[in-house]
Amino acid sequence: MPQTPTEGARHRATRTAPARPARTSHRAARIGVVAVAACLVTAGAFALPAQAASTLKDLAGANGKDIGFALDPNRLSESAYKSIADSEFNLVVPENAMKWDTVESSQGSFNFGPGDQVVAYAQQTGKKVYGHNFVWHQQLPGWVQNLSASAMKTAMENHITAEATHFKGKVFAWDVVNEAFDEDGTRRDGSPFQQKLGDGYIEDAFRTAHAADPNAKLCYNDYNIENIGAKSNGVYAMVKDFKSRGVPIDCVGFQSHFIVGQIPSDLQQNLQRFADLGVDVRITELDIRMSTPATQSGLTQQAADYKKVAQACLAVTRCQGLTIWGITDKYSWVPGTFSGQGAALVWDDNYAKKPAYDALAQALGGTVVTTPPPTTPVVTTPPPTTPVVTTPPPTTPPPSTACKVQYQVNSWNTGFTANVTITNTSSSAINGWTLKFTFPSGQTITQAWSSKASQSGSNVTLTNESWNGSLPAGGNTVIGFNGAYSGTNTNPSSFTLNGTACSLG
């Protein structure tokens, strides 16, 4: 399925990079951020609130945070896409459906149909809608760019008013102005709004949006402002000025298009200094790209990076949550913009969870719990006067288990990632499980997530973590691991759960 255009990438280490065509949508990740040391995913049991949560949505909600994704409503017809969208997120951002060129391609003629689809989907699945966006120099119809200054001001105000009014009460927050700053912290000189209306257009846009929908949260959104530097300082000064003068700005979005191993070391500090101005902050367009094909080390570092971003948000009270810019690598904007790079999202091309999923779940799941070893009471028995015959307690066989196992693998070079779905097909709950199988081609596990792995020769044993050991009747859990192989990577042909053979599905 061809990729929907996403927002214009930016190679902006210098200002000489050519602009992308208006229909490309999406944002280049950070250029020139300081590389930081790998922050490896910490193993350990996590204490989850009340009942163990099994989705990112449940975990984020338990922490009072949003976990969102960018939606193209046309992809909801794909069952795997829709299943993840339905179950894993509590917030949705329209990828392109609410941008100017979609909503008002001809002056005064409004098309709210695609945006209405996003809203309808969110209402059906109990999600919030974060609007994106009113004013941006890209994906902007030619008729706007060709207007005189006074006509452009009127057109901008009319566009904001019409769209905000149409979605009033349905969209809780808006990116009012998007990407209005250059890398040196000055206003973007390539924007037609900046060229014709000057600095005042941003304030005008926020006041217009507030007048149209006083209850909506109004945000400024940009990329390459995740660290403390010239560009973020420019945005910080604007927000500080707006707050001091009563301009209705409620939040700042940090896009966070990152490269593996290059999460800013001062991300949390930067989020906090904006929050201290009296605005909410949020990670709005998170993806973390790498050179492709993905390697084991790249996936491991990516997982650590996703975890680090989530932890930075969780550490800042006014950070409202994270939005991932898409679901699956299959539709990511990155490969079409950065040749030889991609694999930036949490699900791979085949909708299998990557290590980044488990890292996010761990970051959102609670605090690490260290359980002390059990204390065995000492019993002193006087020596018997007559011979004592000790009979060992009877061995209780594990309960009968009906199960199904689905094994999905993504191989590259001499490495692979496997995702294993275990389903309890019996009528009784399973409390604690052990999955066993044999590798037919001498494969070895190098890293596991959502389970504890041990291997003796070709024989593999996987046992549950503390938070996913209970499988209700009809319930399932997804676990995974990275592995290495040479020659062939043949799938295991049989699995047992608690000693009972499982069907394959």
Side-chain angles (χ1 to χ4, degrees), residues 178-433:
N178 196 51
E179 301 177 6
F181 280 76
D182 277 327
E183 298 303 308
D184 61 0
T186 62
R187 301 296 176 90
R188 180 182 293 279
D189 58 10
S191 166
F193 298 103
Q194 183 68 33
Q195 292 168 356
K196 295 185 179 181
L197 304 181
D199 290 355
Y201 86 90
I202 301 179
E203 178 177 342
D204 183 23
F206 274 86
R207 292 193 183 278
T208 301
H210 180 70
D213 187 355
N215 294 322
K217 297 288 187 181
L218 305 181
C219 310
Y220 175 78
N221 189 57
D222 215 328
Y223 66 95
N224 280 9
I225 62 169
E226 297 83 12
N227 67 312
I228 298 175
K231 187 172 185 179
S232 65
N233 287 341
V235 176
Y236 180 89
M238 179 190 73
V239 175
K240 184 177 181 180
D241 172 61
F242 281 9
K243 294 298 291 183
S244 70
R245 295 190 296 106
V247 178
I249 185 170
D250 302 297
C251 42
V252 176
F254 299 77
Q255 292 183 12
S256 304
H257 296 291
F258 291 132
I259 302 170
V260 291
Q262 296 189 19
I263 309 302
S265 58
D266 56 0
L267 173 61
Q268 179 182 326
Q269 179 186 355
N270 193 39
L271 293 174
Q272 187 63 61
R273 70 164 180 157
F274 275 88
D276 290 343
L277 292 176
V279 294
D280 292 333
V281 295
R282 63 173 64 237
I283 306 298
T284 52
E285 304 178 17
L286 179 62
D287 52 33
I288 305 175
R289 73 182 190 265
M290 68 183 76
S291 296
T292 52
T295 63
Q296 176 186 326
S297 61
L299 292 168
T300 300
Q301 182 63 58
Q302 183 186 62
D305 290 344
Y306 267 99
K307 184 176 183 181
K308 185 172 184 178
V309 174
Q311 289 174 328
C313 178
L314 287 169
V316 176
T317 302
R318 295 199 69 153
C319 184
Q320 300 301 297
L322 305 91
T323 295
I324 303 169
W325 203 251
I327 289 177
T328 166
D329 291 337
K330 179 179 180 180
Y331 297 126
S332 171
W333 68 287
V334 172
T337 303
F338 297 101
S339 177
Q341 298 186 51
L345 296 172
V346 177
W347 285 265
D348 68 16
D349 289 340
N350 298 314
Y351 293 100
K353 294 174 181 175
K354 295 157 65 176
Y357 179 94
D358 202 55
L360 272 178
Q362 288 182 344
L364 295 169
T367 56
V368 176
V369 176
T370 302
T371 304
T375 302
T376 303
V378 177
V379 179
T380 303
T381 304
T385 57
T386 57
V388 176
V389 178
T390 303
T391 303
T395 300
T396 303
S400 177
T401 302
C403 52
K404 180 175 71 174
V405 172
Q406 183 179 35
Y407 184 92
Q408 296 176 308
V409 66
N410 179 31
S411 300
W412 66 89
N413 298 328
T414 59
F416 67 97
T417 295
N419 285 275
V420 183
T421 302
I422 305 170
T423 302
N424 176 12
T425 57
S426 73
S427 59
S428 302
I430 297 172
N431 294 305
W433 51 262

